[in-house]
Amino acid sequence: MKIVVSNEISSVCPDFVGACVDAQVENSQYCAELWDEIHQCEERFRRELTTELLKEQPGIAATRRVYKLCGKDPSRYRPASEQLIRRMLQGKELYQIDTLVDLINLASIVHGYSIGGFDASKFVGDTLCLGIGREGEPYEGIGRGMLNIAGLPVYRDQQGGVGTPTSDHERTKITLDTRHLVVLINGYDGNEERVSENARYIQDLLRRFAHSDGGVFTIYRHD
């Protein structure tokens, strides 16, 4: 899968760096060992963070800044990483979906980046382009119905939008039948070292919980 970062994105975030993890996997409905790690993470974050301090986390702060530059209110359309951590800090249980989604959510929480997880067999074409959503552009967020993505960073395949930092698209979502996984980490803070660390962490989770060899990861940015 080739990933192109458009001039639209580079104009508002010239330091953007992303990572793509591409792996063969086996999904499952639930993994108790994974959820032990998630609960440990919840306890640590509740000790160390508040909802106000959360906004200052580098990956989240950078994503919110890009939302504003693109014309989107980040308090109304929160980045997924912020949504997940806020839920934890409010004492609410995270939603349990399936093992692949749950481990991607954990990786997003740990590093603070909004991460897209996709069933790669559902992509149309061999290229994803990261641009900015347009007025009236149709987009069905997972569990959210039709979502107004105007002003949101969005990955598009040949058919249309597949992922934003707020919500991925129903068309390419992960299911229990997913065997080819693509994960995209969005580093709007430009920190390649931390983005790479996040990718390696996802590979480790896939090895331990998704019967995978971890696949490969590549770094991408604007040419």
Side-chain angles (χ1 to χ4, degrees):
M1 182 61 61
K2 179 182 180 183
I3 303 174
V4 176
V5 178
S6 71
N7 292 333
E8 286 181 315
I9 292 295
S10 67
S11 67
V12 295
C13 188
D15 296 329
F16 173 86
V17 58
C20 174
V21 178
D22 190 314
Q24 298 298 314
V25 296
E26 292 181 22
N27 203 1
S28 59
Q29 186 65 60
Y30 177 80
C31 177
E33 293 84 1
L34 172 60
W35 274 89
D36 287 342
E37 290 200 23
I38 292 172
H39 291 315
Q40 291 171 18
C41 181
E42 286 177 335
E43 292 173 6
R44 177 167 61 86
F45 272 57
R46 287 169 184 161
R47 289 194 305 268
E48 298 175 358
L49 271 182
T50 66
T51 53
E52 284 307 308
L53 288 174
L54 174 60
K55 296 178 183 179
E56 300 172 8
Q57 297 302 299
I60 292 171
T63 307
R64 291 175 62 89
R65 184 166 58 252
V66 167
Y67 272 36
K68 291 178 181 178
L69 290 171
C70 292
K72 209 67 168 177
D73 180 357
S75 295
R76 183 177 179 190
Y77 294 85
R78 296 187 193 278
S81 54
E82 183 182 352
Q83 294 175 41
L84 290 166
I85 300 172
R86 281 178 64 88
R87 186 172 180 84
M88 285 173 32
L89 296 180
Q90 292 167 351
K92 300 175 183 177
E93 288 290 327
L94 293 182
Y95 297 111
Q96 190 274 313
I97 309 299
D98 57 51
T99 297
L100 290 177
V101 174
D102 297 342
L103 71 82
I104 290 168
N105 285 344
L106 174 59
S108 180
I109 289 165
V110 168
H111 287 85
Y113 292 121
S114 290
I115 301 175
F118 308 92
D119 186 325
S121 71
K122 299 175 182 176
F123 288 143
V124 178
D126 62 359
T127 302
L128 296 177
C129 182
L130 177 59
I132 297 175
R134 298 181 288 265
E135 287 292 342
E137 183 172 0
Y139 189 94
E140 185 178 1
I142 297 174
R144 299 172 67 108
M146 298 307 293
L147 187 66
N148 176 12
I149 65 167
L152 283 180
V154 57
Y155 288 94
R156 299 182 181 94
D157 66 5
Q158 189 174 314
Q159 184 170 323
V162 298
T164 75
T166 291
S167 175
D168 291 332
H169 197 286
E170 282 281 352
R171 174 168 62 87
T172 50
K173 74 178 180 182
I174 294 165
T175 69
L176 289 176
D177 295 325
T178 296
R179 294 294 178 267
H180 183 188
L181 177 71
V182 161
V183 181
L184 302 178
I185 303 165
N186 296 285
Y188 289 99
D189 60 353
N191 190 331
E192 182 175 337
E193 181 178 351
R194 188 161 174 79
V195 167
S196 297
E197 180 184 335
N198 200 166
R200 287 190 290 268
Y201 180 55
I202 290 170
Q203 289 182 300
D204 177 62
L205 293 175
L206 292 175
R207 292 185 191 103
R208 289 191 285 141
F209 303 124
H211 303 282
S212 174
D213 66 2
V216 296
F217 87 84
T218 54
I219 293 292
Y220 58 95
R221 52 169 55 85
H222 185 259
D223 293 333

